[in-house]
Amino acid sequence: MVSKRLSRLEGHRRKFMAVIDGTPECQRAVHYAGRRAKNSNGGLVLLYVIPEGDFQQWLGVEEIMRAEAREEAEATTAKAAQIVRENIGIDPEIVIREGSAADEINAMIEEDRDIALLVLAAGSAKEGPGPLVSSIAGRAAAFPIPVTVLPDTLTNEEIDALS
């Protein structure tokens, strides 16, 4: 069970969260979440999760790999945030975590009780819609707040019309 959402209380505002993973479709989710946030005077949280278990090496190598993954996460989220600032006109909150994507998304939702909607985009590759969207469909990682899943075929103009 998720904690009570605070986004409708005085002094709070509803936040939309998009997961940044470097895939082309995540740009659709960020654009939609950013538009919804701006149109509703809300906030935007961009979450990047560095996968756990990628650093099972000797200590020195592990530290270098972890630092490189952190640098990549920072660069990817900075680029996404800059696009949001330029195209939508809001300043997103950036969060970088390490662990399982589903676990970290749930932890973020629990910690920030203003987050009211998770926005994901489904990929159209032959491998499937992506691990997060697949996990929702398979109910392996049900999230405690509403989830909007966008097709990656929408253009920014079509997303603007929907949001």
Side-chain angles (χ1 to χ4, degrees):
M1 183 167 164
V2 71
S3 299
K4 179 182 176 186
R5 302 288 87 195
L6 301 177
S7 57
R8 296 291 184 192
L9 299 178
E10 187 175 332
H12 294 268
R13 66 183 182 155
R14 180 169 60 160
K15 293 181 182 177
F16 298 82
M17 183 167 65
V19 178
I20 305 295
D21 60 6
T23 62
E25 61 266 17
C26 88
Q27 296 170 6
R28 300 285 151 248
V30 170
H31 189 83
Y32 180 80
R35 281 286 177 210
R36 288 288 313 272
K38 181 170 181 149
N39 292 343
S40 65
N41 198 29
L44 173 61
V45 177
L46 302 178
L47 174 65
Y48 189 106
V49 180
I50 300 169
E52 65 184 347
D54 285 355
F55 312 111
Q56 303 296 326
Q57 306 292 329
W58 293 303
L59 185 58
V61 175
E62 178 182 337
E63 289 174 5
I64 292 169
M65 290 175 70
R66 184 170 268 122
E68 289 173 349
R70 181 76 185 193
E71 286 176 18
E72 179 183 336
E74 289 172 355
T76 302
T77 54
K79 182 178 177 183
Q82 186 61 31
I83 291 169
V84 168
R85 284 185 205 101
E86 290 173 359
N87 295 336
I88 301 173
I90 63 172
D91 194 25
E93 177 183 341
I94 296 173
V95 178
I96 299 173
R97 295 183 171 220
E98 185 179 320
S100 157
D103 291 345
E104 294 305 323
I105 290 168
N106 278 313
M108 190 68 209
I109 292 166
E110 184 63 28
E111 291 167 22
D112 188 341
R113 293 172 47 196
D114 288 340
I115 296 173
L117 187 74
L118 172 61
V119 180
L120 302 173
S124 57
K126 63 181 177 180
E127 296 84 28
L132 283 175
V133 174
S134 294
S135 69
I136 292 169
R139 301 181 59 77
F143 296 107
I145 59 173
V147 179
T148 298
V149 179
L150 298 169
D152 75 336
T153 56
L154 293 176
T155 66
N156 284 349
E157 293 77 23
E158 291 168 328
I159 291 171
D160 291 347
L162 292 170
S163 56

